[in-house]
Amino acid sequence: MSYKTILLGLVAGDQRNQARVSTTIGLAASQGAHVTAIYMIPPFNIPVYSDASFPLEIYDQYYAEEEAAAKPVLEAFEAAIKAQGDVTGDIRISRILLFDALRDEASFADLIVLGQPQEDRSDPATDSLIGDIALSAGLPVLAVPRIGDYDSIGKNVLVAWSRSRESTRALREAMPLLEGAERVLVLRANASDDGREAGIGAYLARHDVKVDIKDVTAKDISVADTILNTVTNEGSDLIVMGAYGHSRVREYAFGGVTREILHHMTVPTLFAH
């Protein structure tokens, strides 16, 4: 079992594009996957307060400049694919919102890679992207932190587990990574003691996953902080967890734990709904 097609979302002007390229190509090499990268040029926006019609030349100039700025990113992607040698890939420019472009391709992919929202600036086109995609595309989303390099992930994985639909979905969607991991730690926060929780260890063992179980009681700190502290203490390089929340038209609200992890993650995190 492995991922065979990985979708990668890139955004014009994002300084973390190259880091996500490196993470994705490294993952694709370990999975024998093809990478389809979509580079979004934000659609040209006319100020809402403007009543004037914009000449067509202004649109053309905007996209010509943006495509010229995209050229180094496209060339770097192609060079990285070539340097890896055993990975195939293609990259193209999109003039529609990245959410729409990724959703159109989601039927033909196994995983989507996106970047953690930027902390110092707000961009409506990308801030809710991970949530929107996780809840609507039917694919797991791997979020790459805004800081750090992650050329290799999935050796020491932390699974944030609860007996929920979302957790179960995340576990199954992450199986290509879990089966190849050197260690998988299943973290159960505030788990019940009715005996049903024990099934997760047996389930993973049947997939030949090297699994440890850790039960914690989160009282004085949040569940999200418990997860992040455990990542640090255990040296985990990947979090796997369910994405909780609900989707509305172009608006998204994550559940509390999921939202906290998204905003404060220190390692790549695979979300699934």
Side-chain angles (χ1 to χ4, degrees), residues 79-96:
I81 289 287
K82 184 177 180 180
Q84 184 61 46
D86 54 353
V87 173
T88 61
D90 63 275
I91 185 169
R92 64 178 180 275
I93 292 175
S94 172
R95 294 186 180 185
I96 63 175

Side-chain angles (χ1 to χ4, degrees), residues 105-164:
E105 294 288 337
S107 297
F108 314 108
D110 303 305
L111 176 72
I112 297 176
V113 180
L114 296 170
Q116 180 187 18
Q118 294 298 313
E119 187 175 31
D120 57 348
R121 61 186 175 85
S122 178
D123 182 355
T126 57
D127 284 354
S128 65
L129 187 58
I130 292 174
D132 287 335
I133 287 293
L135 296 186
S136 64
L139 291 182
V141 177
L142 179 67
V144 180
R146 66 178 75 95
I147 298 173
D149 296 317
Y150 307 94
D151 295 341
S152 176
I153 61 173
K155 299 297 184 184
N156 185 356
V157 183
L158 183 146
V159 176
W161 175 253
S162 65
R163 292 189 73 254
S164 66

Side-chain angles (χ1 to χ4, degrees), residues 7-116:
L7 276 177
L8 169 61
L10 304 172
V11 181
D14 191 333
Q15 300 302 312
R16 294 289 293 168
N17 281 331
Q18 188 54 51
R20 287 197 294 280
V21 167
S22 297
T23 298
T24 305
I25 292 177
L27 177 58
S30 70
Q31 296 285 311
H34 177 91
V35 179
T36 294
I38 299 176
Y39 179 100
M40 183 194 77
I41 294 177
F44 183 86
N45 287 323
I46 299 174
V48 295
Y49 53 80
S50 175
D51 294 327
S53 59
F54 279 70
L56 185 60
E57 292 80 4
I58 294 180
Y59 289 89
D60 292 340
Q61 180 181 354
Y62 169 77
Y63 284 112
E65 291 175 352
E66 289 292 337
E67 290 185 6
K71 188 176 179 180
V73 179
L74 274 62
E75 291 176 344
F77 173 86
E78 292 168 348
I81 289 287
K82 184 177 180 180
Q84 184 61 46
D86 54 353
V87 173
T88 61
D90 63 275
I91 185 169
R92 64 178 180 275
I93 292 175
S94 172
R95 294 186 180 185
I96 63 175
L97 290 175
L98 192 53
F99 170 82
D100 297 317
L102 293 172
R103 186 179 56 181
D104 289 346
E105 294 288 337
S107 297
F108 314 108
D110 303 305
L111 176 72
I112 297 176
V113 180
L114 296 170
Q116 180 187 18

Side-chain angles (χ1 to χ4, degrees), residues 204-218:
L204 288 172
R206 294 186 194 107
H207 282 271
D208 296 322
V209 173
K210 304 173 185 68
V211 59
D212 294 318
I213 309 291
K214 182 173 184 177
D215 290 321
V216 295
T217 300

